Amino acid sequence: MQTITVTADVDVDVTAAARTTVHDRASDELDRTTTDVARRVQAGDLTEREARMIVFEAVFRTGIVRSETTRYCHRHGIARFLHDDMVDAAVDFYTRKILDLPSADGAEGDSRGRNGTKFFDLEVFAGGASAAGSIRQALGDYTLMHRTLLRSVRSARKVGQIVSTDLLEGTIDAEGRLAGLVHELPVVPDLAVQVLDAGRDEELDRLYAAHESAATRQRGVLRMHVDAAAIRDAFALPALERPLDPDVRARMLAWIEEDEGLALRSVHALTAPPSDPRVATLAGLWTTYEDEHLETVASHEYGQKIAHLLVRDVLADRARPGRPALSRTRVAVKQAVAGCGVDAAWVTELTAVFVEHEHEARSAWDPDRGTGESTRDTARYLGALAAAVALPGAPLGRTPLEVRSTLADVVAAARQTARVAEAG
C-alpha cells in the first residue's frame, strides 16, 4: 500500500476535492441510470412504474435530497431545529414526484401540477437532461422550498408565519416597510385550497396596506411602534403590559438594550423559573399573553427578534405629540373633568406631567432633539395620576393605570384629529 504524506492545509483541500469527486460520480451514475430507464420505457422494454422505482432507489443512494436541502437551509438562515423537518418534507416531496403518487392524500390521478405537467417527467430525461441537476435546481428554488416545503413544516408545527428579519432589525426602507413582513399566514388544513389562498392573499394585502400607510414618513419610536403593531397584527398577539413607573421602564429598557436575548428568556421564564432576576422582572410584561401566544413567540425561528421588538416597544417612550395635538388634549381633558371642581391650571398640569413621563422629551423631527436634560419626577407623575383617580365620579379612571390609559387614548385621538386637520 502506498503511503501519501501531506501537510494539514493540503489535507483539507484533498478531502474537499475527494468529497466533490464522490458527489459528482454519484450524480453521474444517477443521470446515466435515469436516462437509461427512461429510454427503455420509451422502447417498451420497461414499464414506467418499474422505471420510477429504479430511479427512486438511485436518487436516495446518492443522498442528494438530504445534502441539497441542508445546503438550502444553511444558505437561507432557516432555524437549525427545522432542518431535519425540512429534509423529511423534501424526501416526502420527491418520493411522491419520482413514484408519480398523488400530490395530496385522497386525491386521484398522479403527481401532475396545475399546469398539467409532471414535476419529474421521464420523457425529459430520456432526451439526456440531468436528473441530479434537476433535483439540485428544484431544491435551490425559493418558491418550492419556502412556499411548499417550509410552509408544510410550519403548518405541522402550528407556526405558519415567516417574518422578515429586515423589519425586525428596522432596516426596511421607507418606501416599502412591510415588503416581506409575512410571506405566509397560518395555514389552515382544508380541501378548498383556492378559497383559502384567496382569503390569505386578501389578509396579506390588508396587512401590507395598513402597515405601509401607517409607517410612511415616520421615524424614531413612532416607526418602531408601527412595526410592533404590524407584528402583533400578523401573529394575532395582544399588547404587552406597560409598567406604570417610568423609572422601572427606563431600567428594564436598559437591560434589553444591553442583552437582546433577555426578552425571549423572559418568555421562557413563565414556564421555567429563571436564575436571572432581570428575566423574572421582564416576565411580568407578558401577563396578557395566553399559552398559545407565548408558544408562537417562543417557538418561532425569529422569536428572539420578535420578543425584543415587542418589549422595546412597550417600554420605550411614545412619540411626542405636536402642539396642535397637545392643545386638543388639554381641551378634551378639561371637558372630561368639567364639574369636578378643578381649574384650567390643574388640567394643564395633569396633561403636561403625563406627556413628560410617557412621551419623548423632543420630537424625532426636532433638529435639537439631542439637547436638554430630562426633568422627570416619578413621584410627581404618580401623584398626578392618583389625584385624577380621586376626582368625583372618577371620569378619567378608577385606578392610576386606567387614568394613564384614558390619557393615552385622548392623546392618540387628538393626534389623529390634528393630522386630519392639517391634511384637509
Side-chain angles (χ1 to χ4, degrees), residues 156-323:
R157 286 178 170 265
K158 299 185 182 341
V159 182
Q161 294 91 343
I162 307 170
V163 176
S164 166
T165 53
D166 290 337
L167 178 85
L168 296 173
E169 294 172 355
T171 57
I172 291 183
D173 61 86
E175 300 289 322
R177 297 281 302 155
L178 198 62
L181 165 63
V182 182
H183 296 300
E184 299 288 348
L185 292 179
V187 179
V188 181
D190 198 306
L191 295 179
V193 176
Q194 292 183 344
V195 175
L196 286 175
D197 285 344
R200 189 176 301 118
D201 289 342
E202 182 179 346
E203 177 69 2
L204 281 173
D205 289 342
R206 185 189 69 76
L207 286 172
Y208 291 156
H211 184 271
E212 184 176 5
S213 174
T216 298
R217 297 185 301 277
Q218 303 300 347
R219 63 172 66 175
V221 295
L222 184 56
R223 190 165 67 185
M224 177 178 69
H225 191 54
V226 170
D227 289 346
I231 291 293
R232 290 196 302 271
D233 195 5
F235 287 82
L237 299 173
L240 274 68
E241 190 69 43
R242 180 173 170 85
L244 184 64
D245 190 324
D247 289 343
V248 170
R249 292 200 303 269
R251 183 165 62 252
M252 296 168 77
L253 188 59
W255 293 344
I256 67 162
E257 294 292 3
E258 180 182 337
D259 183 352
E260 184 175 323
L262 275 179
L264 182 59
R265 294 204 295 276
S266 71
V267 176
H268 295 302
L270 296 171
T271 56
S275 57
D276 189 336
R278 299 176 304 169
V279 172
T281 302
L282 288 167
L285 302 176
W286 303 92
T287 55
T288 58
Y289 277 51
E290 302 291 343
D291 290 344
E292 61 192 53
H293 300 137
L294 297 170
E295 175 64 19
T296 295
V297 176
S299 62
H300 198 280
E301 64 177 300
Y302 298 139
Q304 177 169 306
K305 293 183 179 297
I306 292 172
H308 185 68
L309 173 64
L310 296 179
V311 170
R312 278 182 62 219
D313 172 62
V314 79
L315 295 175
D317 290 340
R318 298 305 181 220
R320 187 173 185 83
R323 287 184 182 139

Side-chain angles (χ1 to χ4, degrees), residues 329-348 350 388 391-397 406-407:
T329 297
R330 286 191 292 269
V331 170
V333 172
K334 182 178 180 180
Q335 292 173 345
V337 300
C340 292
V342 294
D343 57 17
W346 187 92
V347 171
T348 299
L350 176 64
L391 290 175
L396 298 177
T406 298
L407 294 175

